[in-house]
Amino acid sequence: MQITGEMLIGQRAVRGSAGSLRAVNPALEAEMEPAFGLATTADVELACTLAEQAFDVYRNIDLEKRAVFLETIADRIMAIGPALIERATQESGLPVARLEGERGRTCNQLRLFAKVVRDGYFLDATLDSALPERTPPRPDLRLQKIGLGPVVVFGASNFPLAFSVAGGDTASSLAAGCPVIVKAHSAHPGTSELVGRAVQQAARDCGMPEGVFSMIFGDGRNVGQALVSNPAIKAVGFTGSRQGGVALMKTAASRHEPIPVYAEMSSVNPVFMLPGALQQGGAGLAQAFVDSLTLGVGQFCTNPGLVLGLAGGEFDQFVGDAVAALAGKGAGTMLTPGIHKAYTGGIERLDGIDGVTLLGRGKAEGAGCAAQAAIYLCEAQAYLANAALGDEIFGPASLFVRCRDEAELLQVARHVEGQLTATVHATSSDRELAANLLPVLERKAGRILFNGFPTGVEVAHAMVHGGPFPATSDSRTTSVGASAIDRFLRPVCYQNVPADLLPPALQDANPLHLARLVDGELRVSK
Amino acid sequence: MQITGEMLIGQRAVRGSAGSLRAVNPALEAEMEPAFGLATTADVELACTLAEQAFDVYRNIDLEKRAVFLETIADRIMAIGPALIERATQESGLPVARLEGERGRTCNQLRLFAKVVRDGYFLDATLDSALPERTPPRPDLRLQKIGLGPVVVFGASNFPLAFSVAGGDTASSLAAGCPVIVKAHSAHPGTSELVGRAVQQAARDCGMPEGVFSMIFGDGRNVGQALVSNPAIKAVGFTGSRQGGVALMKTAASRHEPIPVYAEMSSVNPVFMLPGALQQGGAGLAQAFVDSLTLGVGQFCTNPGLVLGLAGGEFDQFVGDAVAALAGKGAGTMLTPGIHKAYTGGIERLDGIDGVTLLGRGKAEGAGCAAQAAIYLCEAQAYLANAALGDEIFGPASLFVRCRDEAELLQVARHVEGQLTATVHATSSDRELAANLLPVLERKAGRILFNGFPTGVEVAHAMVHGGPFPATSDSRTTSVGASAIDRFLRPVCYQNVPADLLPPALQDANPLHLARLVDGELRVSK
């Protein structure tokens, strides 16, 4: 499969004529071939029109065919072979093993959503029988969920496969019956084109309506804003910066018809190191923390950027062990020159704040876009007094906050903004404090984990990759795991609709063998 | 129970000191006793602080106790006796029988949510087992939903009981574990105080934390905006005008932490009268339509304000029959002088539009705030050319739109804005057109009904009282029926959380006997 620099609009390959961009190899800080043509207003409109035209056809295709389509996308991605990994490595600076793993995750995600589609729980099929004898009579009422409509997905820079063209947002939108238009991330256009062509081919293989998928390139914000403003678009999936996410939220809210934006933005992922756990964990715990901090050059949404502990010997020991472990960590290449620049800027900002002490750094390296990890320390009162200390620094930096006592630790927990994750390291001797922390953390984070580190987001039914603002724009949802499909659905009630016009999910005979809530009782079909 | 004019802030009775208001009896156009004191900024803050303080306690109270609290509210409302109905009649102009029915609906709604709480389906309890042997190992993951936090509910004028102080939004918020602050509607403050005192008493009876419920009065928009802007508030329920709902949406979106607004606003509820159904239904169908149009003086969100038919003898006959039926309908008292004025203004606006013909009116009456029903006609092309014809006129007015052919009828169906309901009258001879309409209507409305009229919204599991903008601010939800609880919930994932810290819903032994999704399979507990 060749990389041409074309966009994929429905089944067409279209060369954008509103300027062009090239990928940059961050390790070499060098531009790569080919040039990618950027979308014109007409290109955006064509993609939206095709998506709108495809919606009614696509959403009414058999669930089994929809599931096979998702699986075929996974097959087609695997069929690209090593060329995909090679290009993604060049464009992202991420190592081959990581990208191979990420490709596996991407395909597993598509296959999980194929299962979600087949299981049909997402339809929330609900039936209330007519009660003709009641005064007044109760009509026959049946509810199912249907797709919202065409969805715009913004590829993320930090997962060029799993949160990009055929990543979680695309998989869950397609699973929900919604056509997708991907705005490819400018940091990995070649990877995007390869995956986009795999999706396009899968749509052709499976006889899907043309507009079920498009992928376009665009520089700056204009194309993104044009997509989100288009009346055909009914929802938005985004993973990226707080600034970028908030801008999309504002655009979506100011449309004539406001639409939901699912933006996953900013999280420092507090880790509470309680004394018993520190005593028991020793240097191994500090090493595990540093491994999590520097994994993927700290470029995970769930990177542990904030560590809280109680002043005392256990915490001092942990700090010392962490500094020692960090000193041995090499600098890794960041995704883009822009991200690298923002990271070094964030470090410089921290360096300039009174009351914040640099504890230690990883190894320095001279190569382009290489990030040197860093750990800082401040006292809880300083942290509470300066809101800027709560801001995410995207990369391998973490701020340790020392609390005088349990009350102060709980105060900091209540003070932090919304988070994707909150972590507690605790043994049975820490139980009381852990129990006091838990209700605070439930209100702050989408995922609470014990005795582990937040990097590593399992794709499963019970996963929540979400959380209160600014972690995401909508705490009622998750962008990873089976429930991500719920973001793109809305309920419709059918009242006294003739049997021969009812959708299959709601027919008396239950031909899809769905679990259904019937007169308030859950009935699981065999 | 006496009406004092006080607000209910937690367990306190507080006289507002930011001015006062009085109820107006719309039938007499006369002010009523007593004066109700309006909330100061400090009152708003006290209510929010108490709600915030109550949240962690309330959301962790046993589900059984939460259910009993809801049932106790219903009991306490019934215990007010005839005084409630009497006051509500005076304040709303609605007849006694209607208000008695609405009181029953309000209590049924509270009892339905007690069942919803006990059933526990809303928790979405989901467990994925640890896979320690896998590479990498999968952690133990468990998901449940918890409440969003304190909710502000705006009482609606048109249902002084069922969509007001202890109405659907309040019942579903409390069921979700969220404390509620009601901004009482100024049109029925006495009714609000009586019901508010019933809720306050129920909270005391059941040993609920003080801030679980407050109710305040406020004139104009300032108090509403202050409530929605308060950082303690995490969601908003509103039923009212499009203008009012959109203003709240803007306020909520421009907060530092944006929050969801569930505004149920504006719907003209198109009714498609297909030729076979018209032929079969005859004059009885026209009478049933007019009964629905004038029910509650047309003051239902689901009032049939738009009727579509195919040009021809059947439609002409229906028009004639409807005009005849309407001529016999007396004028009814509207809820407030303001609503009456807006209705007459809407009628005058229609009278002035070229291409819109007055077909007939109900009986005129001289009494204060009495509304004379009206039916208008225009051709489909005129309707399509003038967006203003799609605006809701709140009250007993309906616009008939005559379509040249089926294509034009489908074109109008695609043209209308989002709706709470869409209705089709069809017999088997209309099947093809009905089948073509259905997918269009699925995208336009929250509820599709056949061979009935949209007024009458059953409180059931499968009900959807929602729909795309501007019917509501959030098409993903319903404000009536069991699923209304979903609006006030968010998922939390517990990863490797020690067994003794897990919430009951997620413990291995399943002590709440919940249906749970375990490793992707739905297990119904006995």
Side-chain angles (χ1 to χ4, degrees), chain A residues 262 442 447 476 494-495, chain B residues 262 442 447 476 494-495:
Chain A
Y262 302 105
E442 283 177 321
R447 178 164 57 111
R476 297 164 293 176
Y494 302 76
Q495 175 175 325
Chain B
Y262 302 106
E442 284 177 321
R447 177 164 57 112
R476 297 164 293 176
Y494 302 77
Q495 176 176 323

Side-chain angles (χ1 to χ4, degrees), chain B residues 103-293:
Chain B
R103 180 177 59 183
R105 177 194 181 87
T106 306
C107 293
N108 286 346
Q109 208 157 238
L110 288 157
R111 294 182 205 285
L112 173 70
F113 280 109
K115 172 176 159 46
V116 166
V117 168
R118 286 196 181 94
D119 287 345
Y121 300 135
F122 74 98
L123 294 166
D124 276 357
T126 304
L127 288 75
D128 289 321
S129 309
L131 298 174
E133 312 298 328
R134 202 196 60 176
T135 312
R138 182 168 85 175
D140 178 280
L141 296 167
R142 300 170 193 235
L143 177 155
Q144 71 166 352
K145 286 193 171 165
I146 70 170
L148 285 176
V151 174
V152 166
V153 170
F154 288 82
S157 63
N158 62 337
F159 281 86
L161 299 170
F163 283 87
S164 191
V165 175
D169 287 344
T170 296
S172 53
S173 299
L174 292 176
C178 299
V180 170
I181 303 172
V182 173
K183 156 81 170 57
H185 199 286
S186 305
H188 53 267
T191 306
S192 295
E193 185 186 332
L194 289 172
V195 175
R197 287 190 180 275
V199 182
Q200 189 186 52
Q201 180 64 48
R204 194 156 57 234
D205 294 346
C206 297
M208 293 293 145
E210 180 175 8
V212 72
F213 174 80
S214 290
M215 185 205 72
I216 63 179
F217 298 112
D219 206 7
R221 291 218 174 134
N222 293 343
V223 165
Q225 296 288 333
L227 281 167
V228 174
S229 304
N230 191 291
I233 302 304
K234 300 301 181 190
V236 178
F238 170 86
T239 300
S241 71
R242 181 167 177 171
Q243 194 185 5
V246 167
L248 292 177
M249 289 165 69
K250 285 197 192 308
T251 301
S254 62
R255 285 168 50 122
H256 175 74
E257 176 195 5
I259 55 172
V261 172
Y262 302 106
E264 195 258 86
M265 297 180 286
S266 167
S267 184
V268 296
N269 304 295
V271 178
F272 296 83
M273 308 297 299
L274 306 194
L278 287 178
Q279 196 162 33
Q280 187 177 301
L285 191 55
Q287 182 68 51
F289 162 74
V290 168
D291 290 347
S292 173
L293 175 67

Side-chain angles (χ1 to χ4, degrees), chain A residues 212-230:
Chain A
V212 73
F213 174 79
S214 291
M215 186 206 70
I216 64 178
F217 298 112
D219 206 8
R221 290 215 175 137
N222 293 343
V223 166
Q225 296 289 335
L227 281 167
V228 174
S229 304
N230 191 290

Side-chain angles (χ1 to χ4, degrees), chain B residues 141-477:
Chain B
L141 296 167
R142 300 170 193 235
L143 177 155
Q144 71 166 352
K145 286 193 171 165
I146 70 170
L148 285 176
V151 174
V152 166
V153 170
F154 288 82
S157 63
N158 62 337
F159 281 86
L161 299 170
F163 283 87
S164 191
V165 175
D169 287 344
T170 296
S172 53
S173 299
L174 292 176
C178 299
V180 170
I181 303 172
V182 173
K183 156 81 170 57
H185 199 286
S186 305
H188 53 267
T191 306
S192 295
E193 185 186 332
L194 289 172
V195 175
R197 287 190 180 275
V199 182
Q200 189 186 52
Q201 180 64 48
R204 194 156 57 234
D205 294 346
C206 297
M208 293 293 145
E210 180 175 8
V212 72
F213 174 80
S214 290
M215 185 205 72
I216 63 179
F217 298 112
D219 206 7
R221 291 218 174 134
N222 293 343
V223 165
Q225 296 288 333
L227 281 167
V228 174
S229 304
N230 191 291
I233 302 304
K234 300 301 181 190
V236 178
F238 170 86
T239 300
S241 71
R242 181 167 177 171
Q243 194 185 5
V246 167
L248 292 177
M249 289 165 69
K250 285 197 192 308
T251 301
S254 62
R255 285 168 50 122
H256 175 74
E257 176 195 5
I259 55 172
V261 172
Y262 302 106
E264 195 258 86
M265 297 180 286
S266 167
S267 184
V268 296
N269 304 295
V271 178
F272 296 83
M273 308 297 299
L274 306 194
L278 287 178
Q279 196 162 33
Q280 187 177 301
L285 191 55
Q287 182 68 51
F289 162 74
V290 168
D291 290 347
S292 173
L293 175 67
T294 56
L295 193 69
V297 201
Q299 299 169 115
F300 289 119
C301 320
T302 54
N303 194 55
L306 182 67
V307 174
L308 297 109
L310 293 173
E314 295 90 349
F315 192 63
D316 291 345
Q317 182 68 45
F318 175 72
V319 168
D321 291 342
V323 168
L326 191 70
K329 283 282 175 186
T333 302
M334 295 195 87
L335 292 156
T336 70
I339 287 174
H340 180 249
K341 192 177 161 198
Y343 175 71
T344 54
I347 291 289
E348 280 165 20
R349 213 173 54 240
L350 269 187
D351 280 330
I353 296 179
D354 271 355
V356 176
T357 313
L358 177 67
L359 287 176
R361 300 208 66 171
K363 287 185 185 166
E365 268 179 37
C369 299
Q372 187 185 5
I375 301 177
Y376 289 85
L377 175 73
C378 74
E379 303 299 323
Q381 289 305 318
Y383 185 80
L384 292 167
N386 187 347
L389 290 175
D391 293 343
E392 181 184 15
I393 295 175
F394 191 70
S398 193
L399 176 61
F400 285 26
V401 175
R402 184 159 50 194
C403 305
R404 274 184 311 225
D405 51 25
E406 298 189 358
E408 206 175 65
L409 185 129
L410 286 163
Q411 194 185 353
V412 175
R414 284 189 208 96
H415 168 83
V416 298
E417 292 190 292
Q419 304 289 340
L420 294 170
T421 69
T423 301
V424 181
H425 281 267
T427 61
S428 52
S429 68
D430 303 308
R431 194 193 175 285
E432 196 186 326
L433 180 52
N436 289 335
L437 264 175
L438 196 58
V440 180
L441 302 184
E442 284 177 321
R443 294 179 61 178
K444 290 293 178 182
R447 177 164 57 112
I448 297 165
L449 58 148
F450 270 65
N451 300 323
F453 289 97
T455 44
V457 181
E458 186 71 31
V459 178
H461 289 85
M463 176 49 65
V464 178
H465 190 64
F469 184 89
T472 77
S473 55
D474 189 337
S475 71
R476 297 164 293 176
T477 62

